[in-house]
Amino acid sequence: MLTSREELDAELGEAARAWLDAALAEAADDPARPPTAADDAARSEAVADGAACSGAADDASRTAASPYASPSWELRYAAAGRHCGQRHADSVRSLLLVEARAPLASVTRLYDQGTAAERRAVLLTLHLLDLGDTALPLVEDALRANDTRLVAAAVGPYAADHLAPHAWRHAVLKCLFTEVPVAAVARLADRARGDTELARMLTDFAAERTAAGRPVPEDLRTALALTAPAGHPAPPTAAPAPTEES
C-alpha cells in the first residue's frame, strides 16, 4: 500500500522530510522530465510577458541533457530506504517516479539495476506513469521470478490494464503456485467474470492437486467462483482429497 505525501509528512522526522523535499525538487527539475500542462501554461505566460528568451533557454537546457547520464533523482531513488526508512521506501520511490514523470528509459534502468525492493516500487507505480503498454516487459520479468514480493506487485493495476488475456490468466495461476493472495490481483473480479478459459485452467489445477492428495487452496475456489457469468452459479471444483479418516 502506497502512502500519500501528506501521510508521509505526518510520519517522517524532520531530517527525512527535508531529504524528501530535496529529492522531489531534483525530480521536478530533471531536464529530461516531460512538461506538464501547468509547465506549458507557465511558459506561454512568460512568453506573453516578453520573457521568451527564458523559455528558449529552458528548451536548450532540455536539449543539452545527456541521454547517457542518469539524473540525480535516480540516486535518491536508491537511497530512499536509508533516509526515510524501509517502511516508507516504496511510497517515497513512487513519489519520485511520479514527480519526475519517469520515462520508460528511467523505469527500465531502475528496475534492471535495482534491488528487489527497488524493483517492487517500480512495479507498484507503473499505472501512475504515462507509459502505455511499453513497460509490460518489466511485469513479465517479475512474473517469471519466484520472489513473491515482485509477483504481488506485478499483478497490480498496470497488469490489469495492459496484460493480454493469456498472460493475465497465467499471472493468476502464478499467484496460486507461489501462494500470493489473489486479493493482490487488481480487478480480478472484472477480468475473471465469464472467462471460461481461466475457469478451465483453475479447474485443471484443482484436479491435479486433488489427484496428488494435496488440498485445493481457498484462493483457487475464490478465483474460480469469480469466473461465473453474472447471474450464474460458480463452476464446481474437484472433490476434496480423501483423508485417512475417510
Side-chain angles (χ1 to χ4, degrees):
M1 180 70 70
L2 297 176
T3 304
S4 70
R5 175 64 194 278
E6 291 73 17
E7 292 169 317
L8 281 173
D9 282 345
E11 297 182 19
L12 294 175
E14 182 178 353
R17 288 197 304 271
W19 182 90
L20 179 55
D21 286 341
L24 290 174
E26 289 181 15
D29 290 341
D30 181 5
R33 177 180 181 269
T36 64
D39 294 334
D40 290 338
R43 180 172 303 170
S44 297
E45 183 178 346
V47 170
D49 289 341
C53 58
S54 175
D58 182 57
D59 287 339
S61 68
R62 291 181 185 275
T63 304
S66 169
Y68 305 106
S70 298
S72 61
W73 68 264
E74 291 188 18
L75 300 179
R76 298 273 196 173
Y77 180 93
R82 186 164 67 254
H83 290 276
C84 298
Q86 294 302 326
R87 185 165 69 91
H88 300 300
D90 281 345
S91 298
V92 170
R93 289 173 176 139
S94 181
L95 287 173
L96 285 170
L97 289 169
V98 171
E99 187 64 39
R101 297 170 61 86
L104 181 63
S106 286
V107 296
T108 300
R109 180 165 52 242
L110 291 170
Y111 182 90
D112 288 344
Q113 299 178 5
T115 64
E118 291 163 25
R119 291 183 170 199
R120 181 179 64 245
V122 166
L123 295 167
L124 291 172
T125 312
L126 289 177
H127 67 291
L128 301 175
L129 304 173
D130 187 17
L131 297 172
D133 62 0
T134 61
L136 275 176
L138 307 185
V139 172
E140 292 163 351
D141 179 82
L143 289 171
R144 288 191 293 269
N146 291 319
D147 188 326
T148 56
R149 297 170 301 172
L150 296 183
V151 174
V155 292
Y158 186 83
D161 289 340
H162 297 291
L163 269 182
H166 180 73
W168 183 82
R169 295 180 190 118
H170 280 278
V172 174
L173 284 178
K174 177 76 173 193
C175 289
L176 295 170
F177 288 142
T178 58
E179 300 183 355
V180 169
V182 293
V185 182
R187 291 177 44 214
L188 174 62
D190 291 340
R191 290 202 60 165
R193 186 177 299 114
D195 191 334
T196 56
E197 178 60 15
L198 177 61
R200 182 196 66 76
M201 294 167 68
L202 293 172
T203 302
D204 288 350
F205 181 41
E208 290 172 6
R209 290 186 67 92
T210 299
R214 303 179 66 189
V216 175
E218 190 60 35
D219 264 3
L220 187 150
R221 301 180 192 277
T222 297
L224 185 59
L226 293 173
T227 64
H232 290 69
T237 56
T243 62
E244 292 182 2
E245 289 77 7
S246 61

